[in-house]
Amino acid sequence: MFTDKEKTIKIIENSIENSLTYANEGEVATYIPELANVNPKDFALSLVTVNGDEYKFGDYNKVFSIQSISKVISLIMALNDNSIDEVFEKVGTEPTKYKFSSLIPIDDMAANPFINAGAITTSSLIKGKDLDEKFNRVISKIKKLSNSNNITFLEEVYKSEMETTDINRSIAYYLRSKKIFSLDAEEVLDLYIRNCSIGMNSTELAHIGALLANGGKDLATNAEIISKDSVKIVLAQMASCGMYEESGSFLLEVGIPSKSGVSGAILGVVPGKCGIYVYSPRLDKSGNSVVGKKLLKILSNDLDLNIFL
Ligand code: DON
């Protein structure tokens, strides 16, 4: 696999064509008003191998808001800034069948780091003297993880979500009342929404996937960028909790640890092989990209990427 570049490109092009037959299914997210303005026809796929080879298709230079893919970054940073025990005494590790924004899987703490309550918790664990310093640290980290200096902040997406995010505000105050954190709930919420409003292109995100696939080691120098323990935790949580309430069926059908976001993004990581990022904004009822799911399923089969066999 990936030895014959021409053949790999052909397989990917075929897979894209097949998955795009579903391009009119599902709806673009509208609960964040700014997300409703995207072009539903936009499509991007980037695949980066652990050797650093890039395969890029569609709107791969276009910048999209990363939304819940930021939950992967927040978990990496929480694990970087705290011990593993300190993180998991504040947030659980179990999947949930409830919606990502539901208050039900919180109880004493969030079910896992990849629902909103869990990512608000991991955001509270990111260190810094104030909100700006914390967010600057997130941006610097993403630049390092993606090997890119072009990471942007999408102010309009941020404002749009801040104006409409009553449910996440409730979650932040609820977590504070449960003593999950003692910081100002508005500040923790603000950092969470800023993280969701980061703008990146598909190749930058696929690079983060490839870094995880390479055990956290830089693709060119092999220097450690993310600790091996953190990589194992992040991939286990992506596999078990990364696709909302469809995480189990997705893992069964596709067999690739993945994380989705309501912008229409899915980041997949195939350990030892590659990172894949697909963007197509029409979503199914769970909030997962329709084309993204189909494409990862086809690619998993055609490029032999299922981690279980
Ligand atoms: O909190 C929200 O609703 C969005 N900023 C992110 C949601 C998303 O992509 C799904 N989350 N797991």
Side-chain angles (χ1 to χ4, degrees):
M1 193 229 357
F2 303 132
T3 43
D4 184 339
K5 266 199 150 183
E6 298 281 298
K7 199 172 153 201
T8 305
I9 291 170
K10 281 228 156 59
I11 292 174
I12 298 177
E13 280 172 349
N14 252 323
S15 307
I16 291 173
E17 205 181 310
N18 288 335
S19 69
L20 285 178
T21 57
Y22 298 89
N24 291 325
E25 289 186 16
E27 302 295 334
V28 167
T30 51
Y31 76 97
I32 301 172
E34 192 60 25
L35 290 187
N37 295 332
V38 299
N39 181 351
K41 289 198 164 67
D42 277 348
F43 168 83
L45 170 74
S46 294
L47 185 154
V48 177
T49 70
V50 290
N51 301 325
D53 289 339
E54 295 180 351
Y55 296 86
K56 304 184 277 194
F57 305 85
D59 306 305
Y60 58 83
N61 275 327
K62 202 162 169 177
V63 168
F64 307 106
S65 75
I66 66 172
Q67 291 301 326
S68 282
I69 310 297
S70 66
K71 292 177 166 82
V72 173
I73 314 295
S74 299
L75 178 58
I76 291 172
M77 290 205 65
L79 288 165
N80 182 75
D81 290 359
N82 305 270
S83 71
I84 294 172
D85 287 348
E86 279 165 347
V87 172
F88 291 110
E89 70 195 19
K90 300 287 185 193
V91 61
T93 51
E94 299 301 331
T96 162
K97 66 183 168 64
Y98 294 102
K99 278 216 79 61
F100 57 80
S101 55
S102 175
L103 282 158
I104 300 169
I106 302 182
D107 200 8
D108 284 330
M109 61 182 186
N112 68 66
F114 291 159
I115 56 171
N116 290 8
I120 291 171
T121 302
T122 52
S123 299
S124 78
L125 291 167
I126 296 172
K127 302 267 199 269
K129 72 172 182 333
D130 56 23
L131 178 58
D132 284 339
E133 187 178 293
K134 289 176 191 179
F135 186 57
N136 285 336
R137 287 190 63 232
V138 173
I139 295 283
S140 307
K141 188 72 167 187
I142 292 184
K143 286 183 176 167
K144 206 165 170 195
L145 299 177
S146 62
N147 204 14
S148 166
N149 269 323
N150 296 325
I151 310 305
T152 49
F153 175 57
L154 304 174
E155 187 92 36
E156 293 309 315
V157 175
Y158 165 75
K159 280 194 202 142
S160 179
E161 185 161 3
M162 277 309 261
E163 280 163 13
T164 52
T165 195
D166 287 348
I167 183 78
N168 286 325
R169 179 164 281 113
S170 321
I171 291 172
Y173 278 95
Y174 183 76
L175 290 169
R176 190 173 190 276
S177 80
K178 288 284 178 183
K179 312 232 175 313
I180 297 295
F181 55 78
S182 56
L183 299 167
D184 178 0
E186 291 294 334
E187 247 188 61
V188 176
L189 174 74
D190 202 317
L191 182 60
Y192 166 75
I193 307 279
R194 286 191 198 194
N195 293 345
C196 291
S197 309
I198 290 168
M200 294 174 73
N201 70 37
S202 64
T203 309
E204 290 160 346
L205 278 150
H207 263 280
I208 298 185
L211 180 67
L212 287 164
N214 201 36
K217 296 202 162 114
D218 186 87
L219 307 186
T221 64
N222 236 23
E224 185 178 281
I225 310 283
I226 313 171
S227 77
K228 205 171 166 183
D229 282 344
S230 295
V231 173
K232 284 194 266 188
I233 290 167
V234 170
L235 293 185
Q237 289 289 280
M238 286 173 77
S240 56
C241 310
M243 297 293 287
Y244 314 134
E245 62 271 32
E246 292 182 336
S247 299
S249 58
F250 183 84
L251 190 61
L252 191 143
E253 281 181 33
V254 180
I256 298 178
S258 298
K259 178 74 199 93
S260 58
V262 293
S263 47
I266 306 180
L267 174 65
V269 178
V270 187
K273 293 184 179 169
C274 63
I276 310 171
Y277 188 81
V278 52
Y279 174 86
S280 171
R282 285 189 195 269
L283 311 176
D284 66 14
K285 286 204 171 62
S286 305
N288 290 319
S289 166
V290 175
V291 167
K293 272 173 38 183
K294 294 282 180 203
L295 181 51
L296 283 171
K297 186 174 173 179
I298 302 168
L299 285 175
S300 174
N301 188 59
D302 294 359
L303 289 175
D304 203 12
L305 300 177
N306 191 313
I307 61 169
F308 297 112
L309 42 94

